Amino acid sequence: MSPVNVTIASGASWQEVAADRQRHRDATIASLNPPLPKLSASDIPLDTTGIPGSILTAKELEITEKNVEDLVSLLASGQWSAKTVVQAFMRRAAVAQQLTNCVTEILSERALQRAAELDDHLAATGQPVGPLHGLPISVKEHVGMKGYDLNAGFVAWVGQVGEEDALILQILWDAGAVFYVRTTQPQTLMHLETRSNLYGTTVNPFNTTLTAGGSSGGEGALVGLRGSVLGIGTDIGGSIRSPAANNGLFGFKPTALRLPVSGWSATMAGSDHIVGTIGPLSTSLEGVSLFVRTILSGRPWLREPSLVPIPWRGKDQLEERARGRKLRVGVIWDDKVVRPHPPILAALSRVVAELQKSDEVDVIEWECWKHDLAWEVIAKLYFCDGAAEEKAAIAASGEPLLPLSKWILENPHVREHTISTLWQAHEERQAYRTSYAAIWNERDVDVILCPAGPGVAPKLETARYWGYTSQWNLLNYPAVVFPVGTKVSREESAQGKQDNKEHEYPEAYKPMSEADQYNYDLWKEHGVDGYVGAPVSLQLVGRM
């Protein structure tokens, strides 16, 4: 099957391939009607979040400012048509692309055809197709769509094509969803920011000098600008939670083998040393919940047998399990490897203070156990061929190796394993998981509250510490990122309202590690002014 709108000639340079992909993306945006004004660099401020309000119509703004739970009700009742809703989101997504470079293509023909079918069905039967009837959902590019390019961020892979929709898309489609836009990802899919030689750098809508996160950074920026309110990301070291945190969103990394991943495209297919997972980014917690409930109600384990066959466990079941005792929340202030920047510690302090006011919650200090070792173990298992397949995919087109690709692929823990060294690495993984589980059992906590990263959204090309997210991939624990409702503010910091002074680095601070020195230097160099506008988020970790 030929991919949709890939027109590159045989033997084209990597620059020509990238130019073709960008032309295609721009053409899909130009096809929207009525046309959108073209913004110049001088039109784009540091904080871009106010720009959609100056471009879109009042109705488009009303629609795109609704959350998932509001939209599904309005669509199911017929108060708003699927066509009207998807048109509004396509236009806002196109604006988001100009502001942050987050889109690989708008799927207007496919989306409008789907929307018309849904509207006709509702008119004819009076019933919605399913719980997501007419809901626009954005999709990270490497989640396959039938007939569409599936390059996974590699120039050499342009022209590969999805043979069918990924299983997760099939289930969402049956529930009534509309897929209308695909989003950017980084070279290798292994950055905590989003930059590729195909599309360039995706930036943060709240402060364009910062990263939107990665590897689902296109989703993060798009949902952050409400060009989507529910999108699909993937995560093997923080790739859902990093963009969710950086853009002030809810993002959920399920336990691996909980939601279906068949049909995505990535290197090292078949590797099960550290298993990636797939999940939602949303403007609301209910959007996350509805996404997961819908997927599990489709019983994906019947078609992807490796999945854990556990249905949705509802709120009543969880309350029954906790009945008779308080909720026990363990708190990680720092992981003893990297101290978080002051805005994160200040936010964590505020949340803990609120929890301590509750008669239904016990808060305990969680002493981290060998989180530095956790990084050594997981980094050793990310690229068991010594990153040979990743490097070959990059070399095949002649595209340059990007700085954060080089940083992760040439990490000192990366090695080409023999069978015996791989077995040994698996034993180390299992031993770490067993030890951590024993500690959790002993302390008897229900969840852990912790930072989602060593700071708010990092400066571009500086996201080099994964420990606050990859820790939970190694342990295979589910984790959700949530915004705390504040942003880094120059004015509030100056007035002491953020309590940053209490959480500033002490005089003559001695970093705990090389990674901590790096993170400390970033704060010393940029301080509040460098991160102004960035949302502040935290992470909640559980066990399946």
Side-chain angles (χ1 to χ4, degrees):
M1 180 187 299
S2 299
V4 173
N5 292 317
V6 176
T7 58
I8 52 175
S10 177
S13 67
W14 75 262
Q15 294 95 333
E16 290 170 326
V17 175
D20 176 81
R21 289 292 78 206
Q22 292 171 35
R23 280 193 299 270
H24 167 62
R25 176 199 60 204
D26 294 347
T28 67
I29 292 172
S31 69
L32 296 177
N33 189 32
L36 291 158
K38 188 170 179 60
L39 302 175
S40 66
S42 61
D43 297 324
I44 301 175
L46 190 71
D47 180 351
T48 71
T49 56
I51 299 299
S54 67
I55 293 176
L56 301 175
T57 67
K59 187 64 177 179
E60 289 167 343
L61 291 171
E62 180 188 8
I63 290 169
T64 55
E65 291 295 325
K66 297 291 186 185
N67 286 328
V68 168
E69 56 271 31
D70 306 310
L71 286 169
V72 292
S73 175
L74 290 163
L75 285 159
S77 66
Q79 291 177 259
W80 285 350
S81 71
K83 181 180 178 182
T84 298
V85 170
V86 76
Q87 282 181 319
F89 275 99
M90 286 193 297
R91 288 174 58 75
R92 189 151 184 162
V95 174
Q97 160 56 27
Q98 293 196 62
L99 298 173
T100 63
N101 192 33
C102 59
V103 166
T104 67
E105 59 185 324
I106 303 283
L107 308 174
S108 56
E109 183 177 350
R110 171 183 172 136
L112 291 173
Q113 179 179 342
R114 168 66 166 169
E117 292 169 355
L118 293 168
D119 289 337
D120 289 346
H121 175 89
L122 186 63
T125 68
Q127 298 296 319
V129 165
L132 305 182
H133 179 95
L135 183 69
I137 294 180
S138 51
V139 184
K140 187 177 181 181
E141 186 275 336
H142 84 115
V143 179
M145 287 187 178
K146 183 177 181 178
Y148 285 81
D149 196 49
L150 197 54
N151 59 65
F154 295 109
V155 175
W157 286 19
V158 170
Q160 296 189 21
V161 64
E163 294 298 324
E164 62 179 356
D165 283 355
L167 177 54
I168 199 165
L169 299 188
Q170 294 177 35
I171 295 171
L172 293 169
W173 181 276
D174 290 343
V178 181
F179 307 122
Y180 67 107
V181 62
R182 305 176 81 201
T183 56
T184 54
Q185 62 221 341
Q187 182 188 62
T188 75
L189 292 171
M190 293 292 283
H191 297 192
L192 288 187
E193 73 168 45
T194 296
R195 178 186 174 194
S196 74
N197 290 311
L198 282 168
Y199 296 106
T201 301
T202 300
V203 298
N204 192 298
F206 297 91
N207 181 332
T208 56
T209 72
L210 308 178
T211 178
S215 63
S216 309
E219 285 298 322
L222 181 68
V223 182
L225 276 169
R226 303 191 73 95
S228 171
V229 291
L230 182 61
I232 303 174
T234 58
D235 192 310
I236 199 171
S239 289
I240 289 171
R241 290 159 292 155
S242 156
N246 291 1
N247 295 280
L249 308 171
F250 295 88
F252 178 52
K253 179 204 82 69
T255 305
L257 304 181
R258 192 77 170 99
L259 301 185
V261 300
S262 57
W264 70 9
S265 175
T267 54
M268 299 179 289
S271 171
D272 62 357
H273 319 299
I274 300 295
V275 179
T277 188
I278 196 165
L281 295 89
S282 181
T283 54
S284 69
L285 186 59
E286 179 56 28
V288 168
S289 176
L290 180 59
F291 181 96
V292 178
R293 294 199 311 266
T294 300
I295 298 300
L296 293 179
S297 68
R299 300 193 295 172
W301 50 84
L302 297 179
R303 289 184 277 176
E304 193 172 311
S306 61
L307 299 179
V308 180
I310 299 177
W312 173 258
R313 294 185 288 188
K315 183 179 178 182
D316 292 342
Q317 290 173 284
L318 298 177
E319 289 177 346
E320 178 66 30
R321 186 177 68 181
R323 189 166 295 164
R325 68 174 181 85
K326 293 182 179 182
L327 179 72
R328 289 175 59 81
V329 179
V331 178
I332 293 176
W333 295 94
D334 70 63
D335 63 2
K336 309 308 176 189
V337 183
V338 172
R339 175 189 169 112
H341 287 164
I344 299 299
L345 293 178
L348 186 54
S349 179
R350 290 194 297 271
V351 172
V352 168
E354 289 300 313
L355 291 173
Q356 290 173 331
K357 295 177 184 177
S358 173
D359 294 332
E360 299 179 356
V361 178
D362 273 338
V363 177
I364 68 168
E365 301 287 319
W366 182 271
E367 288 295 324
C368 291
W369 185 78
K370 296 185 179 181
H371 282 217
D372 52 347
L373 174 61
W375 174 250
E376 293 180 20
V377 173
I378 197 170
K380 193 184 298 183
L381 288 168
Y382 274 141
F383 308 101
C384 293
D385 62 351
E389 189 170 348
E390 300 275 349
K391 292 176 181 178
I394 293 167
S397 67
E399 65 171 302
L401 185 68
L402 296 177
L404 287 181
S405 298
K406 180 179 175 65
W407 178 81
I408 189 63
L409 298 182
E410 298 181 4
N411 186 283
H413 302 297
V414 172
R415 60 175 298 182
E416 183 178 357
H417 284 284
T418 64
I419 291 178
S420 61
T421 63
L422 185 57
W423 288 345
Q424 181 181 352
H426 282 187
E427 288 181 340
E428 293 170 355
R429 179 195 65 192
Q430 293 308 107
Y432 190 89
R433 289 175 174 176
T434 300
S435 296
Y436 216 92
I439 294 167
W440 192 300
N441 295 337
E442 178 185 350
R443 297 176 186 171
D444 191 29
V445 300
D446 295 293
V447 291
I448 291 175
L449 176 67
C450 63
V456 294
K459 288 288 183 181
L460 294 171
E461 296 190 11
T462 68
R464 293 189 176 186
Y465 187 67
W466 297 21
Y468 283 102
T469 48
S470 64
Q471 174 75 22
W472 315 116
N473 293 89
L474 174 63
L475 293 170
N476 198 22
Y477 291 171
V480 62
V481 159
F482 62 96
V484 298
T486 60
K487 299 175 185 176
V488 176
S489 165
R490 185 181 295 116
E491 292 76 16
E492 287 188 356
S493 177
Q495 297 170 24
K497 292 181 180 177
Q498 283 188 322
D499 302 321
N500 276 355
K501 292 180 180 179
E502 177 186 348
H503 299 286
E504 282 287 352
Y505 290 96
E507 292 292 330
Y509 177 70
K510 294 182 179 180
M512 297 177 284
S513 65
E514 183 178 341
D516 194 30
Q517 179 73 63
Y518 180 82
N519 198 54
Y520 174 52
D521 289 344
L522 289 173
W523 186 254
K524 284 199 302 182
E525 179 180 356
H526 301 291
V528 168
D529 284 350
Y531 301 98
V532 68
V536 183
S537 302
L538 296 173
Q539 182 176 205
L540 203 61
V541 180
R543 297 168 81 185
M544 188 170 113

